[in-house]
Amino acid sequence: MMTEDQAVRDPSVPAPSARPDTASRSGGPVPDGPVAFSPGVRSASSAQEGGLPAHARLPAAANARLRLLVRWWEARPATVKDREFALVFTVLSFAPPLALIGARFGDLPVHGGSAVSVLLTLGQCLPIAVRTRWPGACLAVVGTSFAVHQCLGCPPTFGSLGLYVALYSVGAHQTRFRRTVPLAATGAYVLFGVVLHMLGSPAGVTDYLLFPLVLAAVWGLGALVRWEREREAVRRRLAARVAVAEERDRMARELHDVVTHHVTAMVVQAGAAQYLTASPDRLNSALETINSTGRRALAELRFLLGVLEATGDAEPQGRTPTPGRVADLVEQTRAGGQPVELIEEGEQPAITTSARLAAYRTVQESLTNAVKYAAGRQTLVRLTHTPHWTEVEVITAGTKGGTSRSAAPREDGSHLSGGRGLTGLRERVETLGGAFTAGARPEGGFRVHARIPAGGGA
């Protein structure tokens, strides 16, 4: 027996070179320097591929190819699949030993094969090519061919199973005359039974009752598939309507946040600018602030209009606006004359765009309300970051017992009267799995607090 030491020295046995630690564990020598790996040999570290052991890679690869084959087959047009299925079905009807396996009814004496039996077999196979396009016509041709085939006592054929395929297709794909076709098929079966009895069929009453029950079960299976397919289509339509409604609501919140904040800031800054004519430097600064605010508003409005005009092919991530920086937002509000202080604690985690946007909109809406209802009063913006949460707190100073005219969802979930700004914020934050509160402070002023998960509800 060849030892591992000999296998290392023998170039015709490269396996130990692929596992240099084996000889060390078995007490053998370990080669000095780097070990040469043969191009055709896999190392022990690569014994797993894609996280699977070597003995499981072959079934996994076969399963992957099977899934690809199934997806390829499902992607093909129904008419093409029907033609291919009919061709295979016809070949199997004439290929032994399947050619002699099929459905029989009536137990009439069997005669030898003939050109008529071949034509009747084809009549039970080829119409399957149009089973989804014209299921009623397919059943008529296949059923007539089957009945004549049994009445003439032709040899058994695999093609007789086409009757079951045609019945299933009527149940699954018939859109017009859904009640007429089963009634016509029932009448044709009664006529078929009368002809068999006149030809001397030994079949009893039980046989005449059991066979149509089997046929009805096959038709019912197709009808069940059609019902499930229609229910799935209805479910998808309803889901699409809900998605559209949610998207419209989201866009309404975005438009409210953008227009309210930027327009309010521009109005306040423009009102202050008219008193700065005696100070050109401060006037220029105010006009520059108004200009930048307007550009920002136009950019966000242009983005939202682009979303409204989108075809719906984009992914949801592509339809989420990129939030700005809270520091820039605070600086912009401060430039408009509102005293704002920003405190940021902790290191911002890697949060989703939706969570970052919710935090940005919370600060934006809160500062907008501060400018509108508490102009000139001290406002504090505090951001607290943890590995799993981001907390946003905006406190606006006020007189003791002061009230706010803005909408403020209370702790118990009820709402004060007012606009939809804070109400929309609450919906946005709670959708992400967070918590939102807003209300007047006992010592005066107003407080907005949002606790937003870093994962954005994912």
Side-chain angles (χ1 to χ4, degrees), residues 12 17 25 97 247 353 362:
S12 64
S17 64
R25 290 194 298 268
E247 186 72 4
T353 303
T362 301

Side-chain angles (χ1 to χ4, degrees), residues 134-284:
W134 298 309
C138 173
L139 177 62
V141 177
V142 172
T144 302
S145 300
F146 175 84
V148 176
H149 188 275
Q150 300 300 316
C151 292
L152 296 180
C154 296
T157 174
F158 185 79
S160 59
L161 298 179
L163 177 63
Y164 301 120
V165 177
L167 278 169
Y168 170 85
S169 302
V170 167
H173 303 288
Q174 185 72 27
T175 56
R176 300 178 59 188
F177 309 112
R178 289 183 179 176
R179 296 181 180 181
T180 304
V181 172
L183 291 177
T186 302
Y189 174 76
V190 172
L191 179 61
F192 173 53
V194 172
V195 173
L196 286 178
H197 181 72
M198 294 176 59
L199 294 176
S201 171
V205 177
T206 303
D207 298 326
Y208 285 108
L209 294 179
L210 183 60
F211 188 63
L213 291 179
V214 175
L215 299 180
V218 175
W219 173 85
L221 179 61
L224 179 62
V225 171
R226 186 193 69 243
W227 179 74
E228 289 288 346
R229 187 169 58 244
E230 292 176 349
R231 190 176 69 169
E232 177 66 16
V234 171
R235 188 193 65 81
R236 290 182 178 179
R237 286 197 298 269
L238 293 178
R241 292 179 182 176
V242 171
V244 170
E246 291 178 350
E247 186 72 4
R248 287 178 177 174
D249 187 66
R250 188 180 73 88
M251 297 303 299
R253 290 198 301 266
E254 296 292 343
L255 285 172
H256 173 274
D257 295 339
V258 171
V259 173
T260 302
H261 173 77
H262 291 301
V263 173
T264 299
M266 292 170 64
V267 169
V268 172
Q269 292 160 4
Q274 62 182 335
Y275 300 104
L276 300 177
T277 54
S279 180
D281 294 338
R282 296 179 61 188
L283 178 60
N284 291 335

Side-chain angles (χ1 to χ4, degrees), residues 390-407:
T390 293
E391 294 195 20
V392 180
E393 186 180 33
V394 182
I395 300 176
T396 303
T399 59
K400 184 175 179 62
T403 58
S404 173
R405 289 176 292 163
S406 60

